[in-house]
Amino acid sequence: AAKFDVLKKSGLPIWYFIGPNTPNSIVQKLDIGFSFSNSRQTDEVQPKLNTGFELFELSAPLQQAFNYFPAVKVPYGETKLNAQNKVLLSQRLGGFTKKDPILFVGEKGNLKYGVFFGEGIWRWKINESSRTNASDGFQELVQKLSQFLVLKQNSSALRITMPTRFQKGT
């Protein structure tokens, strides 16, 4: 738990990877407003893009690629997510979309974080590479999420921008 405290106090953004074997008790120590049923059973679910996600935009080709990405393994059961968290990718079983997340982001205090909930994200890159001979979509996903996490928000109410002036030396 001390390692988690050091990370959280650093204020650095964190991208958590929580798999089916991660105990919920460990996730609770992260204090990110997320919990799930501890179950020995798993589900194989595919990603479904949340069209209401507005924190950053994804290209049309990447949005389409989610339809082809292979399933990831998640713990069976219901998840609970606080309102501080925004879901980018939900779980899809065939034609049925669950409210449970695969990928979400959140912010608590000065800490921004992303969470991939499942095992097998590496299959997405392999799938895309074999389908398109490139992995641009997967790279875009990692890049956009990383950029979002490291971007510092300017929370000051007053913003002044002035043109830069250069004077020619004499």
Side-chain angles (χ1 to χ4, degrees):
K3 292 176 186 176
F4 295 132
D5 292 337
V6 170
L7 282 173
K8 287 192 285 186
K9 287 178 184 171
S10 74
L12 295 172
I14 302 172
W15 190 352
Y16 297 106
F17 289 84
I18 300 172
N21 297 325
T22 306
N24 193 31
S25 59
I26 297 289
V27 175
Q28 293 308 302
K29 290 177 184 173
L30 301 177
D31 192 28
I32 55 173
F34 175 62
S35 65
F36 58 93
S37 306
N38 264 340
S39 172
R40 294 184 185 267
Q41 295 179 321
T42 58
D43 264 342
E44 298 269 331
V45 297
Q46 291 181 287
K48 174 68 175 170
L49 180 65
N50 173 8
T51 55
F53 185 83
E54 297 177 342
L55 297 177
F56 54 88
E57 290 184 28
L58 301 175
S59 69
L62 174 55
Q63 291 180 32
Q64 288 300 314
F66 291 128
N67 296 323
Y68 302 104
F69 283 171
V72 295
K73 190 180 291 187
V74 298
Y76 176 80
E78 185 180 7
T79 62
K80 292 188 176 130
L81 210 56
N82 289 3
Q84 74 202 30
N85 296 310
K86 308 296 180 211
V87 176
L88 174 63
L89 299 174
S90 296
Q91 299 178 15
R92 179 172 55 92
L93 286 164
F96 176 71
T97 301
K98 299 170 61 178
K99 67 172 182 57
D100 303 310
I102 290 178
L103 182 60
F104 65 92
V105 296
E107 190 168 0
K108 183 164 186 173
N110 66 341
L111 176 68
K112 273 181 151 179
Y113 55 86
V115 177
F116 182 84
F117 181 57
E119 190 282 321
I121 191 171
W122 55 271
R123 290 184 187 100
W124 293 1
K125 183 174 182 176
I126 292 172
N127 171 275
E128 185 179 33
S129 293
S130 67
R131 236 179 353 92
T132 67
N133 293 323
S135 59
D136 297 343
F138 183 82
Q139 289 177 5
E140 177 189 342
L141 176 64
V142 171
Q143 182 180 33
K144 294 263 178 102
L145 182 58
S146 299
Q147 286 174 344
F148 169 77
L149 291 175
V150 299
L151 181 69
K152 297 282 185 199
Q153 298 292 333
N154 185 350
S155 59
S156 66
L158 177 63
R159 294 184 187 159
I160 300 173
T161 54
M162 305 217 17
T164 306
R165 292 187 179 189
F166 295 97
Q167 291 192 1
K168 188 175 180 181
T170 56

